Amino acid sequence: MAVTKEEGPRFKTIQKFKAGYAPATFSQYESTRTGMRVVVVDQQGPKLYGYFALATEIHDDSGAPHTLEHLCFMGSKSYKYKGVLDKLATRAYSTTNAWTATDHTAYTLETAGWDGFAQILPVYLEHVILPTLTDSGCITEVHHVDGTGHDAGVVYSEMQAVQNTQSELMDLRARRLMYPEGIGFRYETGGMMEALRNLTADRIRQFHRDMYQPKNLCLVLIGAVDHQNMLEILDRFEDTIIDDIPPPDAPFQRPWTESKQAPPLERTIVDKITFPEEDESAGEISIGFLGPDCTDHKLTTALDILLSYLAGSAVTVLENTLVEKEQLCSMVWYQSDVRPSMAIWFILTGVETGKLETVERRFFEVLHETASKPLDMDYLSECRKRFSRQIKYNTEGSANFFADTVIQDHLFGNRDGSDLRTLESLKVIDDLGEWDDGQWRSFMRRWLLDAHHISVIGVPSAEMSKKLNSEEKARVVAQKERLGEDGLRKMQERLDAAKAENDKEIPKSLFQQFKVPGTESIHFIPTTTARSGLARNMGRLDNDIQRIVDREASDLPLFIHFEHIPSNFVAVTLVMSTSPVPVHLKPLLSLYVMNFFATPVMRGGKRIEFEDATVELEGDTVGYTFEPGPSNSELLQVRFQVEPEKYETAIKWIKTYLFDSIFDETRLKASLAKMLADIPEEKRSGSQMLRAVDSMIHFSPLSSSRARNTLSKALYLKRLSRLLEEEPKRVLSDLETVRKSLCHFSNFRVLVVSNIEKLPNPVSAWQSLTSGLNTSEPLRPLDKVKDVISDKGRSLGGNSYIVPIQAIDSSYALFTSKGLDSYWHPKLPALMVATSYLDAVEGPMWAAVRGNGLAYGTSFLRSVEAGWFSFSIYRSPDAFKAFQAAREQVEGFANGSQDFDELALEGAISSIVMSFADTQPTMGSAAACSFVDQVVTALGKGYKDDMLKKVRTVKVEEIQEVMREVVLPVFKPETTDFVLTCAPIMQERLLTDFEQAGFKPKVEPLASFYDDYGLAGKEGEDDMDEDEGEDEEGGLEDGDEDEADQDE
């Protein structure tokens, strides 16, 4: 309802409607003064989600959109202090963030409860519309040269980490080919490093004036919103900005829709690009087309369905032919980017380098073969129906499901709201059921076969790695020489002055204007637990759902945990421990998991090929996975999402795949080929390899997650592939051993999440699984992480490794020391407050590290299950400087030389409240949390409530104590281990700096952490990576094969 003042209504209602397929109501408003738009999606849950989206278009690679996104957090007209927004948000149970896409910038506000959201909303919007945009903020946040002659800055560090990666290089080249000069989709809005080094604050300010106008802004609010209060807040906010913004009636060219449009592709282009990578065995192919108008909802929906038909699963034509049968790549995946003319992309990963061009041609041969004969209309119809089911399920399973669609409507949709209105129903999907084979093939020919395309072939190059490193070294040397000693001194003085200006203390009186909101408006989603079979041993429950379960009068002993929620679907999870699998076969779990649903099965004495089984499985389900978890990487879980009438069918499928699947040589070879093809790409990630190396050191071979990580797979799977060729019966026998180790009654725990009141036979339906099993076996205890820790993981201190990786241009680090090992440890509440205080946005770590451009981010991590405490550094131009700055902060708090800020401590506690809301934003996630708390971690359903009470009573003295006893040791050489991955150019400097700080790091290649788990290579055969060679000291140190552990 519009707000009425003396001037009349300030916001008009454009439309309101309810989605017919989801628990969501849409309301669209527009300001009559400024043109600012608001779309509210009302739905229940503890969190509010805000997305403040602006269409942003630029025709250069300066990075102005991205840098402006960062600078908006540095202060505003009324709140001229860096960090004030985030400090206020933290106290109000809120978190802020932002992203810059090619076509828009979005600022996010996530809050537990409406009261906190309403408090922060006008402050946040002022930062967006009237930011300070100071020179000093630009120096620290965007780019600077420090006193040593090296480049840094938050945005610079971020782009340094991605600019020369395979994905970024290929994406940029593809867009350069698809879009000509003057079309905004062509450019790198994040900023190229060479452009960021020359970007000025004036250029950023001009971009803000051009794009950041209220008429170009849409607020998307999702959750339990107080509409009247919201409109009053926005009305008052507009009063405060009206004199500072361009006249609302001034001419304004709407980005994208009123700009020059991308012309159709005039010709097909196939181009090659190299990317830095020591492992030159596999590359990638990106293929792009221009598609239909994004506002033609029938055609864009048809596109979604057709792409799903072509490459949506292992049985679709492109995946099945190129990946499963011909094994030419590890995956074919697709995406469609919403543009005025949709951009359609196919990505072929893990392609053997020597076959890249052949595979690109083969892709089109398969497309032409498909269109030359009738399509499988039954399967296409099932793709359409499944698409509809998945939308309905995702509206329940994702609290912010509608956000992207509403933002896209703001960017490209009609201003009268007619395009947004298409969210009212799924009728367009039903209408496409009328299309016949001819219409679908005509559609496919128009947009794919008869259309010009661009193909980018990505070729790995070890030489490019060396070239980039030598060029960067030479550039830095030249920069130092150009600046000279005096220039370097001035650069440091300039940086120090900027830091001093940015870090001016915020008056406490400003914070005191904003009281910490109450928690009354935070509505956590209730679930009701019931238990059946062996689950009853956890305690008998007295509630209506338990009585429904009890009335079924089943004597089935299977452990079944029910969570009742008002859902239209059923989520079924079967959980297994992996400890029964013999240690030497643990790495086989990765193949077992990969092959689980991609294999033939036996049913009724008849073999059903995997394609037929998968088509049937897709028809019966919304989704299905086999993956680690829940909440413990030593466990595995089979998960199904189905409609209630398919509940018993899902259980039968679980039984089929657990006990009646066939280990088929052809299918296993296909799965192995995909996994091996993915390994080079996995090894290009600095953060992923950081975790992988840490896992190899700190977990033992008993750990299944260690056995499944890249550094275990790299050598083991190569040898397994050979063994499958030479001794297939041995591999099949080993897989049977893995199956029998996992699949027995005593190793099964079941979670059922649904509306139990409407679920037929909730208990007895499981008889199809337990039939024929020995149900007298006692229930095995669930695996515990602490049981698979290595000797090094139990005696932390003195194990430090620097691992250079050619494919990255940044550095990542993980420091691990002894932590608290119990959820009931009396010091845990104080530690939670301490880490929340340190990690707060614009808190001590943020100010010391990110605020000075030393890293994109840092965080403290607690692993109570393992008894570890860790500190991580993410995307740093110099991980040692980031470590040093963080250590100084912690030392100050630990020794009392730095005082705790009382208001920031309030914010730390509010952040803990928010973190609990983060774990259960939807009905399904609340139910999953209840299962984890009761069954996996055995904390009990009320644990979080009890912990919230405890953290509110923590005293400063207790925080200081855990700073000394738990946090500070993670920075000391004698009590911490660290792993650091970095660009080779950084290796020497980092080694020297950490040695001078008292550490004794070893520089090791990734290959030195490989583990073959006793699967020997062929005599005389070199199966180590070509890029890394065989390390003479080889693998782990003596004895480590009995002690290294797994991923957290």
Side-chain angles (χ1 to χ4, degrees), residues 60-321:
D60 60 41
D61 298 319
S62 66
H66 185 197
T67 53
L68 175 56
E69 170 224 309
H70 283 249
L71 291 172
C72 280
F73 290 93
M74 302 287 283
S76 69
K77 178 185 176 184
S78 304
Y79 309 94
K80 299 182 184 294
Y81 301 92
K82 172 179 175 285
V84 67
L85 171 62
D86 287 301
K87 289 176 182 289
L88 288 171
T90 299
R91 286 161 49 81
Y93 316 116
S94 301
T95 60
T96 66
N97 210 332
W99 72 75
T100 301
T102 304
D103 52 19
H104 72 278
T105 302
Y107 296 84
T108 67
L109 175 61
E110 296 185 15
T111 307
W114 171 254
D115 290 348
F117 193 97
Q119 184 182 94
I120 298 303
L121 179 60
V123 180
Y124 201 160
L125 291 179
E126 186 183 281
H127 277 72
V128 173
I129 299 299
L130 302 176
T132 53
L133 301 183
T134 64
D135 288 346
S136 59
C138 197
I139 290 169
T140 59
E141 196 73 10
V142 179
H143 171 263
H144 60 261
V145 177
D146 64 21
T148 68
H150 290 90
D151 299 86
V154 176
V155 175
Y156 189 83
S157 298
E158 182 181 354
M159 299 312 296
Q160 181 184 49
V162 301
Q163 180 165 312
N164 289 313
T165 60
Q166 167 256 317
S167 58
E168 180 71 12
L169 288 168
M170 289 187 66
D171 173 69
L172 187 60
R173 177 64 64 88
R175 289 190 284 118
R176 297 283 208 240
L177 294 174
M178 183 171 281
Y179 301 104
E181 292 280 355
I183 302 297
F185 300 115
R186 172 186 176 89
Y187 302 97
E188 176 50 74
T189 54
M192 303 294 283
M193 283 190 288
E194 52 273 24
L196 289 170
R197 290 194 288 265
N198 296 290
L199 180 62
T200 66
D202 284 340
R203 176 70 181 94
I204 299 169
R205 293 178 189 121
Q206 183 60 54
F207 185 77
H208 183 272
R209 281 193 292 272
D210 292 342
M211 294 290 161
Y212 278 48
Q213 299 187 29
K215 67 181 73 173
N216 192 33
L217 173 65
C218 179
L219 312 184
V220 184
L221 276 59
I222 301 175
V225 176
D226 183 330
H227 288 241
Q228 184 65 29
N229 186 216
M230 174 199 71
L231 293 173
E232 290 169 355
I233 290 168
L234 295 179
D235 197 57
R236 290 194 297 269
F237 168 70
E238 288 196 332
D239 288 340
T240 67
I241 66 167
I242 198 70
D243 294 332
D244 295 291
I245 61 174
D249 56 356
F252 178 77
Q253 178 177 289
R254 185 181 174 194
W256 307 114
T257 60
E258 296 176 2
S259 306
K260 178 183 175 183
Q261 296 300 298
L265 290 171
E266 295 180 352
R267 61 190 179 93
T268 288
I269 303 171
V270 180
D271 196 16
K272 273 188 181 180
I273 187 171
T274 56
F275 59 86
E277 173 58 78
E278 282 193 60
D279 184 342
E280 296 183 327
S281 62
E284 192 164 292
I285 301 168
S286 177
I287 300 169
F289 305 82
L290 287 175
D293 186 328
C294 70
T295 60
D296 189 325
H297 300 286
K298 189 167 188 177
L299 292 188
T300 56
T301 304
L303 181 63
D304 286 333
I305 294 167
L306 178 64
L307 293 175
S308 174
Y309 174 85
L310 292 173
S313 76
V315 298
T316 53
V317 60
L318 290 170
E319 271 272 319
N320 192 249
T321 304

Side-chain angles (χ1 to χ4, degrees), residues 495-703:
L495 176 59
D496 292 340
K499 289 179 183 178
E501 176 66 24
N502 292 338
D503 294 338
K504 285 182 179 177
E505 186 175 355
I506 305 170
K508 289 191 177 181
S509 58
L510 192 154
F511 293 112
Q512 290 165 350
Q513 299 172 33
F514 297 84
K515 296 188 181 300
V516 175
T519 56
E520 297 80 10
S521 68
I522 305 175
H523 305 295
F524 287 96
I525 300 173
T527 69
T528 305
T529 301
R531 297 167 179 153
S532 177
L534 293 174
R536 287 177 174 151
N537 293 339
M538 296 180 63
R540 299 196 65 86
L541 300 170
D542 183 16
N543 59 61
D544 290 342
I545 304 305
Q546 184 65 57
R547 283 185 278 277
I548 291 172
V549 170
D550 291 343
R551 276 201 300 271
E552 208 179 337
S554 171
D555 59 356
L556 192 74
L558 182 66
F559 184 109
I560 309 177
H561 178 109
F562 294 95
E563 287 291 336
H564 169 72
I565 58 174
S567 173
N568 293 315
F569 296 89
V570 187
V572 175
T573 304
L574 185 142
V575 179
M576 299 178 286
S577 291
T578 58
S579 55
V581 177
V583 174
H584 72 286
L585 296 182
K586 295 275 188 182
L588 262 184
L589 282 168
S590 58
L591 178 58
Y592 179 72
V593 170
M594 170 68 82
N595 194 65
F596 190 78
F597 287 115
T599 194
V601 299
M602 293 295 296
R603 191 166 60 196
K606 179 183 176 183
R607 176 181 169 122
I608 303 174
E609 295 303 328
F610 106 93
E611 291 93 345
D612 297 325
T614 303
V615 168
E616 195 177 335
L617 179 62
E618 290 180 355
D620 286 336
T621 63
V622 176
Y624 54 89
T625 57
F626 186 33
E627 60 192 11
S631 190
N632 179 343
S633 57
E634 294 303 311
L635 306 177
L636 289 175
Q637 54 182 337
V638 184
R639 304 179 65 205
F640 277 74
Q641 300 86 39
V642 296
E643 294 169 306
E645 60 268 24
K646 294 289 187 177
Y647 174 55
E648 192 161 357
T649 303
I651 296 168
K652 290 176 180 177
W653 276 118
I654 292 174
K655 172 73 174 284
T656 296
Y657 280 104
L658 287 175
F659 295 101
D660 300 322
S661 60
I662 298 168
F663 295 124
D664 177 82
E665 287 181 46
T666 301
R667 297 301 312 133
L668 290 169
K669 288 177 182 177
S671 293
L672 265 175
K674 286 191 286 185
M675 296 166 71
L676 285 166
D678 282 337
I679 286 174
E681 183 175 356
E682 292 170 9
K683 287 171 16 187
R684 292 172 198 144
S685 168
S687 58
Q688 188 173 341
M689 288 304 95
L690 179 78
R691 298 287 176 178
V693 172
D694 184 74
S695 169
M696 300 305 289
I697 297 167
H698 291 135
F699 288 94
S700 80
L702 293 172
S703 162

Side-chain angles (χ1 to χ4, degrees), residues 484 777 800:
E777 297 175 343
S800 303

